[in-house]
Coordinates of all heavy atoms in Angstrom, one line a residue:
A322 N 75.9 -63.5 110.5 CA 77.0 -62.9 111.0 C 78.3 -63.5 110.4 O 78.6 -64.7 110.6 CB 77.1 -63.0 112.6
L323 N 79.0 -62.7 109.6 CA 80.2 -63.2 108.8 C 81.5 -62.9 109.7 O 81.7 -61.6 110.0 CB 80.3 -62.6 107.4 CG 79.1 -62.9 106.5 CD1 79.4 -62.2 105.2 CD2 78.9 -64.4 106.3
H324 N 82.2 -63.8 110.0 CA 83.5 -63.6 110.8 C 84.5 -62.8 109.8 O 84.3 -62.8 108.6 CB 84.1 -64.8 111.3 CG 84.5 -65.8 110.2 ND1 85.6 -65.6 109.3 CD2 83.9 -66.9 109.8 CE1 85.6 -66.6 108.5 NE2 84.7 -67.5 108.7
G325 N 85.5 -62.2 110.5 CA 86.5 -61.5 109.6 C 87.6 -62.5 109.2 O 87.6 -63.7 109.5
C326 N 88.6 -61.9 108.5 CA 89.8 -62.8 108.1 C 90.4 -63.3 109.4 O 90.5 -62.6 110.5 CB 90.8 -61.9 107.4 SG 90.1 -61.2 105.8
Q327 N 91.0 -64.5 109.4 CA 91.6 -65.1 110.5 C 90.7 -65.3 111.7 O 91.1 -65.4 112.8 CB 92.9 -64.4 110.8 CG 93.9 -64.3 109.7 CD 95.1 -63.7 110.1 OE1 96.0 -64.2 110.8 NE2 95.4 -62.4 109.6
Q328 N 89.4 -65.3 111.5 CA 88.4 -65.5 112.6 C 87.6 -66.7 112.5 O 86.7 -66.8 113.3 CB 87.6 -64.2 112.7 CG 88.3 -63.0 113.3 CD 87.3 -61.8 113.8 OE1 86.4 -61.6 113.0 NE2 87.7 -61.1 114.8
G329 N 87.8 -67.5 111.5 CA 86.9 -68.7 111.4 C 87.2 -69.6 112.6 O 88.1 -69.6 113.3
A330 N 86.2 -70.7 112.7 CA 86.3 -71.5 113.9 C 87.6 -72.4 113.7 O 88.0 -72.9 114.8 CB 85.1 -72.4 113.8
A331 N 88.0 -72.7 112.5 CA 89.2 -73.5 112.3 C 90.5 -72.8 113.0 O 91.5 -73.4 113.4 CB 89.6 -73.7 110.9
V332 N 90.4 -71.5 113.2 CA 91.5 -70.7 113.8 C 91.1 -70.4 115.2 O 92.0 -70.5 116.1 CB 91.7 -69.4 113.0 CG1 92.8 -68.6 113.7 CG2 92.1 -69.7 111.5
L333 N 89.9 -69.9 115.5 CA 89.6 -69.3 116.8 C 88.7 -70.3 117.7 O 88.4 -69.9 118.8 CB 88.9 -68.0 116.6 CG 89.7 -66.9 116.0 CD1 88.8 -65.5 116.1 CD2 91.1 -66.6 116.7
G334 N 88.3 -71.4 117.2 CA 87.3 -72.1 117.8 C 86.0 -71.4 117.9 O 85.6 -70.9 116.9
D335 N 85.4 -71.3 119.2 CA 84.1 -70.7 119.3 C 84.2 -69.2 119.6 O 83.1 -68.6 120.0 CB 83.3 -71.4 120.3 CG 83.7 -71.3 121.7 OD1 84.9 -70.8 121.9 OD2 83.0 -71.7 122.6
R336 N 85.3 -68.5 119.6 CA 85.5 -67.3 120.1 C 84.7 -66.2 119.3 O 84.3 -65.2 119.9 CB 87.0 -66.8 120.1 CG 87.8 -67.7 121.1 CD 89.2 -67.2 121.2 NE 89.4 -65.9 121.9 CZ 90.6 -65.5 122.1 NH1 91.7 -66.2 121.8 NH2 90.8 -64.3 122.8
F337 N 84.5 -66.4 118.1 CA 83.7 -65.5 117.2 C 82.2 -65.8 117.5 O 81.4 -65.0 117.9 CB 84.0 -65.4 115.8 CG 83.2 -64.4 115.0 CD1 83.6 -63.1 115.0 CD2 82.0 -64.8 114.4 CE1 82.8 -62.2 114.4 CE2 81.2 -63.8 113.7 CZ 81.7 -62.5 113.7
Y338 N 81.8 -67.0 117.2 CA 80.4 -67.3 117.2 C 79.8 -67.6 118.6 O 78.6 -67.6 118.7 CB 80.1 -68.6 116.2 CG 80.6 -69.9 116.8 CD1 80.0 -70.6 117.8 CD2 81.7 -70.6 116.1 CE1 80.4 -71.9 118.2 CE2 82.1 -71.7 116.6 CZ 81.5 -72.4 117.5 OH 82.0 -73.7 118.0
N339 N 80.7 -67.5 119.6 CA 80.1 -67.6 121.0 C 80.6 -66.6 121.9 O 80.4 -66.7 123.1 CB 80.5 -69.1 121.4 CG 79.6 -69.6 122.5 OD1 78.4 -69.2 122.6 ND2 80.0 -70.5 123.4
G340 N 81.3 -65.6 121.4 CA 81.9 -64.6 122.3 C 81.9 -63.2 121.8 O 82.7 -62.4 122.3
T341 N 81.1 -62.8 120.9 CA 81.0 -61.5 120.4 C 79.6 -60.7 120.7 O 79.3 -59.8 120.0 CB 81.4 -61.4 118.9 OG1 80.6 -62.4 118.1 CG2 82.9 -61.7 118.7
G342 N 78.8 -61.3 121.5 CA 77.6 -60.6 121.8 C 76.3 -60.9 121.0 O 75.3 -60.4 121.5
Y343 N 76.5 -61.5 119.9 CA 75.3 -61.7 119.0 C 74.3 -62.5 119.7 O 73.0 -62.3 119.6 CB 75.6 -62.4 117.7 CG 76.3 -61.5 116.7 CD1 77.7 -61.5 116.6 CD2 75.6 -60.7 115.9 CE1 78.4 -60.7 115.7 CE2 76.2 -59.9 114.9 CZ 77.6 -59.9 114.8 OH 78.2 -59.1 113.9
N344 N 74.7 -63.6 120.4 CA 73.9 -64.6 120.9 C 72.9 -64.0 122.1 O 71.7 -64.4 122.2 CB 74.5 -65.8 121.4 CG 75.4 -66.4 120.3 OD1 75.1 -66.3 119.1 ND2 76.4 -67.2 120.7
Q345 N 73.5 -63.1 122.9 CA 72.8 -62.5 124.0 C 71.6 -61.7 123.4 O 70.5 -61.6 123.9 CB 73.6 -61.7 124.9 CG 74.5 -62.6 125.7 CD 75.8 -63.1 125.1 OE1 76.0 -62.9 123.9 NE2 76.8 -63.6 125.8
Y346 N 71.9 -60.9 122.3 CA 70.8 -60.2 121.6 C 69.8 -61.2 121.1 O 68.5 -60.9 121.2 CB 71.4 -59.4 120.5 CG 70.3 -58.7 119.6 CD1 69.9 -57.5 119.9 CD2 69.8 -59.4 118.5 CE1 68.9 -56.9 119.1 CE2 68.8 -58.9 117.7 CZ 68.3 -57.6 118.0 OH 67.4 -57.1 117.2
A347 N 70.2 -62.2 120.5 CA 69.3 -63.1 119.8 C 68.2 -63.7 120.8 O 67.1 -63.9 120.5 CB 70.0 -64.2 119.2
D348 N 68.7 -64.0 122.1 CA 67.9 -64.6 123.0 C 66.6 -63.8 123.4 O 65.5 -64.3 123.6 CB 68.6 -64.8 124.4 CG 69.2 -66.3 124.5 OD1 68.7 -67.1 123.8 OD2 70.3 -66.3 125.2
T349 N 66.8 -62.5 123.4 CA 65.6 -61.7 123.7 C 64.8 -61.0 122.6 O 64.0 -60.3 122.7 CB 66.1 -60.6 124.8 OG1 67.1 -59.8 124.1 CG2 66.5 -61.2 126.0
N350 N 65.3 -61.3 121.3 CA 64.8 -60.7 120.2 C 64.3 -61.7 119.0 O 64.2 -61.3 117.9 CB 65.7 -59.7 119.6 CG 65.8 -58.4 120.5 OD1 65.0 -57.5 120.4 ND2 66.9 -58.4 121.2
R351 N 64.0 -63.0 119.5 CA 63.6 -64.0 118.5 C 64.3 -64.0 117.3 O 63.8 -63.8 116.2 CB 62.1 -63.8 118.3 CG 61.2 -64.1 119.6 CD 59.7 -64.0 119.2 NE 59.3 -65.0 118.2 CZ 59.2 -66.3 118.6 NH1 59.3 -66.8 119.7 NH2 58.8 -67.2 117.4
T352 N 65.6 -64.2 117.4 CA 66.5 -64.1 116.3 C 67.4 -65.3 116.2 O 68.1 -65.6 117.2 CB 67.3 -62.8 116.3 OG1 66.5 -61.7 116.3 CG2 68.3 -62.7 115.0
I353 N 67.5 -66.0 115.2 CA 68.5 -67.1 115.0 C 69.7 -66.3 114.3 O 69.5 -65.6 113.4 CB 67.9 -68.2 114.0 CG1 66.8 -68.9 114.7 CG2 69.1 -69.1 113.6 CD1 66.1 -69.9 113.8
V354 N 70.9 -66.7 114.8 CA 72.1 -66.1 114.2 C 72.9 -67.3 113.5 O 73.3 -68.2 114.1 CB 73.0 -65.6 115.3 CG1 74.2 -64.8 114.6 CG2 72.3 -64.5 116.2
L355 N 73.0 -67.1 112.1 CA 73.7 -68.0 111.4 C 75.2 -67.5 111.2 O 75.5 -66.4 110.9 CB 73.0 -68.0 110.0 CG 73.7 -68.9 108.9 CD1 73.6 -70.4 109.3 CD2 73.1 -68.7 107.5
Y356 N 76.1 -68.5 111.5 CA 77.6 -68.2 111.4 C 78.2 -69.2 110.3 O 78.8 -70.1 110.7 CB 78.2 -68.5 112.8 CG 77.8 -67.6 113.9 CD1 76.8 -68.0 114.8 CD2 78.3 -66.4 114.1 CE1 76.4 -67.3 115.9 CE2 78.0 -65.6 115.1 CZ 77.0 -66.1 116.0 OH 76.6 -65.2 117.1
P357 N 78.1 -68.7 109.1 CA 78.8 -69.5 108.0 C 80.4 -69.4 108.2 O 80.8 -68.5 109.0 CB 78.4 -68.8 106.7 CG 77.3 -67.9 107.1 CD 77.4 -67.5 108.5
Q358 N 81.0 -70.4 107.7 CA 82.5 -70.4 107.9 C 83.3 -70.4 106.8 O 83.2 -71.4 105.9 CB 82.8 -71.7 108.9 CG 82.2 -71.6 110.2 CD 82.8 -70.5 111.1 OE1 84.0 -70.5 111.3 NE2 81.9 -69.7 111.8
A359 N 84.2 -69.4 106.6 CA 85.3 -69.5 105.6 C 86.5 -70.2 106.2 O 86.6 -70.2 107.4 CB 85.6 -68.2 105.0

């Protein structure tokens, strides 16, 4: 999952990687979500 411009953790903290719904999907679908950071 690639964040958008001005959405990296240095700007938003965990709001993208912990607040956009990916993780709830991952929990029930045996999926690791990788969040690289620009």
Side-chain angles (χ1 to χ4, degrees):
L323 300 181
H324 62 74
C326 300
Q327 302 183 72
Q328 285 189 324
V332 178
L333 298 187
D335 70 350
R336 293 181 73 173
F337 183 85
Y338 69 77
N339 204 25
T341 50
Y343 285 98
N344 302 336
Q345 287 83 351
Y346 171 93
D348 264 336
T349 55
N350 288 280
R351 294 187 57 80
T352 302
I353 293 170
V354 186
L355 175 64
Y356 295 99
Q358 297 292 308

